[in-house]
Amino acid sequence: MEPIYNRLRKLRYIVENNSYIIVIILFLTVFSWIGNFIISNDIELFNDRPNVKSLLRLLSVGFSIITAIYGLYTFIYSKIDKIDNERKVEEFTKIEKNNRILASELASKEKQIRGNCRSILKKIFEKFNLDNSSRITLFYCRKLCRKPTEFHILERYSKGGGKDHYQPEASYLISIGFIKNVWQSGFYSDIGKCPSYPESGKKISTKRKEYIQYQLENYEITEDMIKNMNMKSCDFVGKNLSDDFANLIILFESNRSGKLSHITEDKLNKFLDSTFLREHLISHVELLNWISSKQSQLPNNTNEITSSDIKNEFNRS
């Protein structure tokens, strides 16, 4: 029956999109109705003109035929419309299901990317023999551009004390803070210059003011910003790892003065290049941004990205 239904669908499309056919059908329907009305009610018109009377009888028969065809048309096309509607519901249900699967796969891949980056940061942490006073953070730009305005945390690693806690949605302006210096210089360190922020002890108020003053003068970090930090670092080392495909910065911090003095640009470059960790980090950021771009391109009720697309891109990276 499907070939017949397809021909009928095509016929309806032709009729509904051709004004001439519609006018002809309307013309025949009106005049056949007039002929049927005259004949059915025995109205004495054109009795002296047998040819016209015969035409009226023919129109009356034509009206009956048109009525029968219309009834058959209504029945058949109601069945076709029901089939088409059921198919649409089935298609949208399938699309909705695929979108849920896709969203789940995207979330899973993002989680895997962040997990891999955390493992890389752990290797770097262990390579440079850092302790629980330190942490490493990887910042990335969600959109590749020559002049980014803000960064987000991709992953962070520390040995404890809640120093690795972060909010994924929090943004960090590139116009202030230590990130600004790293982005502009490529490599930047501030070791042993910033006063420590004491949690207790003598002259705590004076020492805290010194820390706040240093942060404000050198990095435009205000006292309110410092209050919201879960780690008040005094030593910083940062490296810009960006390339033509991804913007990212790795930042070392410690709240104990001198703990990062052994981290130099040469040592960091040598370790990242010899282990290919730089390439791995860059590729992970590329993939994460690729996933984000695909998510933003997806219309509300359609699915143009497949599971194989994700797997191929993930394997490529």
Side-chain angles (χ1 to χ4, degrees):
M1 291 295 292
E2 189 60 27
I4 297 176
Y5 287 158
N6 287 335
R7 290 190 179 91
L8 290 173
R9 290 187 184 98
K10 187 176 181 180
L11 176 63
R12 179 165 64 177
Y13 177 83
I14 293 173
V15 171
E16 291 179 349
N17 290 274
N18 192 314
S19 57
Y20 293 105
I21 295 178
I22 294 175
V23 171
I24 292 172
I25 292 174
L26 184 62
F27 178 84
L28 291 174
T29 302
V30 171
F31 276 89
S32 62
W33 178 84
I34 293 173
N36 182 71
F37 180 80
I38 294 173
I39 298 300
S40 299
N41 292 278
D42 294 326
I43 298 175
E44 295 183 358
L45 286 175
F46 308 112
N47 289 332
D48 56 340
R49 303 181 67 177
N51 291 336
V52 174
K53 201 72 173 179
S54 298
L55 179 62
L56 290 174
R57 290 191 182 92
L58 184 62
L59 288 173
S60 177
V61 174
F63 180 76
S64 300
I65 295 173
I66 290 173
T67 302
I69 292 174
Y70 178 77
L72 182 63
Y73 169 91
T74 303
F75 172 77
I76 293 175
Y77 280 105
S78 65
K79 189 173 182 180
I80 293 175
D81 289 341
K82 183 179 179 181
I83 293 172
D84 291 343
N85 289 334
E86 288 176 351
R87 285 180 179 175
K88 287 180 180 179
V89 170
E90 184 179 348
E91 288 174 1
F92 278 108
T93 301
K94 185 178 179 180
I95 290 172
E96 186 178 359
K97 181 181 178 182
N98 288 338
N99 276 340
R100 286 197 299 266
I101 295 172
L102 176 63
S104 177
E105 288 198 21
L106 290 174
S108 175
K109 294 304 179 186
E110 181 176 346
K111 185 177 180 181
Q112 186 176 348
I113 291 169
R114 292 183 183 274
N116 288 345
C117 289
R118 183 176 175 83
S119 297
I120 292 173
L121 294 182
K122 181 180 178 182
K123 290 181 182 297
I124 299 172
F125 193 96
E126 293 172 348
K127 168 63 180 178
F128 289 97
N129 297 315
L130 302 180
D131 58 20
N132 57 10
S133 70
S134 307
R135 73 181 180 189
I136 308 178
T137 306
L138 186 66
F139 294 91
Y140 80 112
C141 184
R142 289 179 174 175
K143 291 183 179 180
L144 179 63
C145 56
R146 295 294 181 183
K147 296 181 179 180
T149 57
E150 64 180 17
F151 277 74
H152 292 78
I153 294 179
L154 174 55
E155 193 50 72
R156 173 175 280 167
Y157 182 80
S158 178
K159 277 193 172 179
K163 295 183 180 65
D164 59 349
H165 175 73
Y166 69 95
Q167 296 177 340
E169 297 306 317
S171 60
Y172 298 83
L173 294 176
I174 201 171
S175 58
I176 63 172
F178 195 77
I179 291 179
K180 174 183 177 181
N181 299 72
V182 178
W183 177 256
Q184 293 177 346
S185 304
F187 180 86
Y188 190 85
S189 65
D190 186 346
I191 306 295
K193 300 176 185 178
C194 177
S196 299
Y197 187 93
E199 297 297 334
S200 60
K202 297 179 180 180
K203 298 182 180 181
I204 183 172
S205 178
T206 301
K207 292 180 179 179
R208 285 185 175 182
K209 286 181 180 179
E210 290 174 354
Y211 178 87
I212 293 169
Q213 186 67 24
Y214 185 90
Q215 291 292 322
L216 182 62
E217 290 178 356
N218 289 274
Y219 304 118
E220 301 178 56
I221 302 297
T222 65
E223 184 175 358
D224 289 337
M225 293 178 183
I226 292 172
K227 287 179 180 178
N228 293 324
M229 295 177 180
N230 69 329
M231 178 177 172
K232 278 73 171 176
S233 304
C234 60
D235 278 9
F236 305 89
V237 175
K239 173 68 177 174
N240 187 351
L241 303 177
S242 303
D243 69 356
D244 293 335
F245 304 101
N247 293 326
L248 66 158
I249 287 173
I250 187 169
L251 178 63
F252 299 79
E253 301 172 74
S254 177
N255 56 16
R256 292 182 186 176
S257 182
K259 287 292 183 179
L260 306 178
S261 58
H262 61 294
I263 302 177
T264 65
E265 184 175 12
D266 289 340
K267 288 181 180 179
L268 184 58
N269 281 337
K270 184 177 180 180
F271 177 68
L272 292 176
D273 292 337
S274 64
T275 56
F276 301 100
L277 292 182
R278 185 201 304 266
E279 287 76 8
H280 290 320
L281 289 173
I282 290 173
S283 65
H284 284 343
V285 173
E286 285 183 56
L287 179 59
L288 190 61
N289 287 337
W290 179 84
I291 290 174
S292 298
S293 68
K294 291 299 181 181
Q295 285 175 318
S296 64
Q297 292 171 11
L298 284 174
N300 292 333
N301 291 314
T302 60
N303 181 6
E304 296 179 351
I305 174 176
T306 64
S307 301
S308 60
D309 290 332
I310 302 171
K311 292 173 182 176
N312 290 339
E313 186 69 17
F314 191 76
N315 292 333
R316 184 184 70 82
S317 300

